[in-house]
Amino acid sequence: MNRQFDFLMPSVNFFGPGVIAKIGDRAKMLNMHKPLIVTTEGLSKIDNGPVKQTTAALEKAGVDYVVFTGVEPNPKIRNVQAGKKMYQDENCDSIITVGGGSAHDCGKGIGIVLTNGDDISKLAGIETLDNPLPPLMAVNTTAGTGSELTRHAVITNEKTHLKFVVVSWRNIPLVSFNDPMLMLDIPQDITAATGCDAFVQAIEPYVSVDHNPITDSQCKEAIQLIQTALPEVVANGHNVEARTKMVEAEMLAGMAFNNANLGYVHAMAHQLGGQYDAPHGVCCALLLTTVEEYNLIACPERFAELAKVMGYDTTGLTLYEAAQKSIDGMREMCKLVGIPASIKEIGAKPEDFEMMAKNALKDGNAFSNPRKGTVEDVVKLYQKAYDGIY
Ligand code: NAD
């Protein structure tokens, strides 16, 4: 247990149905005169969708804005550079990200290159930023990565196919908006993938070497919310109560990993996302059970506690039998919401495993994993996820 710890999150967080209406006034409070709205083309086209609701609230408050729609999933360096150019050409003074993790990370990336130097790949690592970003607010539309709250910016180098992370307290948005009404029309597969990402982000910090009492309670609450709400929102995206619970869970998980960090699931998933441009949540879900089964001997008590959190009666079981129940719970959730059975299905090739394993062990998320592995161990984990998780 990490007894001395820092705890970071945005200073203001708006949560609940309808909070998007507050964004105009908040932009004025922050002296935003012309924010660059950073989003995807798809989201910008939805009638009365998240972008239209954001711009309507800004117009009502008399705040000018420009919309940049060049965010791709797993945002690339070229997206960051195109956004920076628009920001400068249009004389913007601030940034509002509207979307899921890709929009938030791209917006953070734009802010980073505006004030910390043009080559963002050189800034990969922890606390590498010397200067503050322009004022940044994040309107979150998936539940989700937690990126609207976190100090991480995950960017893909399109030339090397490597995902890298710039981790800095300077990346944390000043204000986050989590309005479940903006999430009702997320397609079913994206709901499942992003919800599984939140599930993984509640589990990895719980068994991380950096966990602390606050993050522990956040993880437990998030896991219980996701267990009931995620299958419900996959079954019916317009279930407002379940969408609201998913937003609460993704915020709790985001706060937890922002402070207790993640592990090999994310370190390895970043390689799959970078190499094969696959959805992040699917990559994480495909690795979850394999990695946590491997981690089990590092902290069996923690996994046994997770089993109880998930509702298993562990009376009369040995420690390892109880711990194993938590892995059953993880596998069940991935299966219930339709995660595919193998990393084969996102294009993974065994000849890439060694290169990906070496890079995964260098990813910042690897250092907080409870079990310390070798390249050979990680290759075996990719192979196991390739052979099938169900
Ligand atoms: P995403 O942002 O890539 O969005 C996926 C798709 O869903 C996009 O096409 C988007 O336009 C669409 N979409 C988003 N919201 C919608 C809505 N309300 N209605 C309809 N469509 C909608 O997906 P994501 O999973 O949120 O983000 C993934 C990215 O975030 C990855 O690059 C991952 O590495 C990164 N990530 C970042 C952090 C962090 O803390 N910075 C944490 C985890 C993951």
Side-chain angles (χ1 to χ4, degrees):
M1 173 82 65
N2 191 356
R3 284 284 170 195
Q4 191 191 51
F5 57 86
D6 311 331
F7 199 86
L8 304 172
M9 61 183 290
S11 57
V12 181
N13 302 272
F14 291 107
F15 168 85
V19 291
I20 190 61
K22 299 183 184 202
I23 195 166
D25 288 341
R26 191 51 60 162
K28 280 200 337 208
M29 275 187 221
L30 289 171
N31 283 323
M32 291 182 159
H33 296 293
K34 193 171 182 186
L36 181 76
I37 296 182
V38 177
T39 190
T40 64
E41 202 175 333
L43 276 175
S44 73
K45 287 187 176 150
I46 301 176
D47 277 342
N48 200 31
V51 176
K52 299 270 181 350
Q53 291 196 42
T54 302
T55 54
L58 291 174
E59 282 165 23
K60 198 169 165 207
V63 177
D64 196 8
Y65 61 86
V66 187
V67 183
F68 170 70
T69 59
V71 178
E72 297 172 75
N74 298 313
K76 317 291 185 280
I77 294 177
R78 62 174 174 250
N79 307 150
V80 170
Q81 287 301 338
K84 176 191 173 191
K85 184 169 183 316
M86 192 178 214
Y87 184 101
Q88 290 175 326
D89 290 349
E90 296 282 348
N91 293 317
C92 294
D93 62 358
S94 50
I95 296 171
I96 298 178
T97 58
V98 182
S102 297
H104 305 314
D105 289 359
C106 186
K108 291 174 188 174
I110 294 167
I112 291 168
V113 294
L114 279 163
T115 55
N116 284 273
D118 207 43
D119 187 351
I120 192 168
S121 62
K122 285 204 180 128
L123 296 165
I126 298 175
E127 298 305 344
T128 54
L129 304 183
D130 292 331
N131 303 311
L133 275 54
L136 173 63
M137 296 202 283
V139 178
N140 193 35
T141 69
T142 64
T145 65
S147 176
E148 79 283 5
L149 306 162
T150 68
R151 59 196 173 118
H152 307 73
V154 188
I155 305 293
T156 299
N157 183 330
E158 59 270 28
K159 293 196 180 117
T160 60
H161 299 287
L162 284 180
K163 264 189 163 186
F164 61 91
V165 191
V166 183
V167 186
S168 170
W169 66 276
R170 295 188 187 278
N171 284 335
I172 298 178
L174 298 177
V175 183
S176 80
F177 290 82
N178 264 299
D179 185 338
M181 302 311 281
L182 302 180
M183 303 181 183
L184 301 186
D185 292 318
I186 307 176
Q188 195 182 51
D189 58 336
I190 298 176
T191 299
T194 51
C196 280
D197 189 20
F199 190 51
V200 174
Q201 289 175 175
I203 292 166
E204 286 207 286
Y206 194 77
V207 295
S208 152
V209 296
D210 295 325
H211 72 94
N212 66 54
I214 297 176
T215 59
D216 283 353
S217 59
Q218 291 170 326
C219 292
K220 287 186 204 170
E221 179 68 16
I223 288 167
Q224 289 180 338
L225 285 164
I226 292 168
Q227 272 188 302
T228 53
L230 181 55
E232 285 174 6
V233 285
V234 169
N236 174 8
H238 281 250
N239 180 336
V240 175
E241 198 183 326
R243 285 277 187 209
T244 306
K245 283 187 186 161
M246 279 306 298
V247 174
E248 199 179 322
E250 84 94 40
M251 287 181 73
L252 287 165
M255 284 185 254
F257 91 82
N258 199 33
N259 292 286
N261 302 315
L262 294 162
Y264 281 1
V265 178
H266 270 76
M268 292 172 65
H270 283 167
Q271 313 316 316
L272 294 176
Q275 284 302 311
Y276 313 117
D277 212 3
H280 175 72
V282 174
C283 297
C284 287
L286 280 164
L287 294 164
L288 177 66
T289 49
T290 307
V291 169
E292 299 311 350
E293 206 154 28
Y294 165 83
N295 281 341
L296 201 139
I297 60 162
C299 47
E301 296 86 358
R302 303 286 294 166
F303 283 100
E305 282 163 23
L306 273 185
K308 283 194 210 157
V309 170
M310 289 175 174
Y312 288 101
D313 179 1
T314 56
T315 322
L317 299 184
T318 66
L319 178 61
Y320 285 95
E321 284 168 347
Q324 185 62 42
K325 288 281 175 204
S326 69
I327 310 294
D328 297 347
M330 296 175 207
R331 187 175 287 113
E332 181 187 45
M333 176 58 67
C334 295
K335 201 168 183 186
L336 271 175
V337 300
I339 297 300
S342 158
I343 58 173
K344 235 181 264 180
E345 297 187 40
I346 54 166
K349 299 186 199 77
E351 58 267 34
D352 295 334
F353 290 170
E354 190 175 338
M355 172 269 295
M356 291 199 297
K358 285 182 180 157
N359 288 326
L361 288 176
K362 289 185 217 151
D363 186 288
N365 292 299
F367 305 113
S368 41
N369 196 65
R371 184 169 174 180
K372 303 299 164 206
T374 60
V375 171
E376 292 69 35
D377 290 338
V378 179
V379 167
K380 280 187 200 151
L381 292 173
Y382 278 125
Q383 185 63 51
K384 219 170 156 200
Y386 185 86
D387 294 339
I389 59 173
Y390 301 126

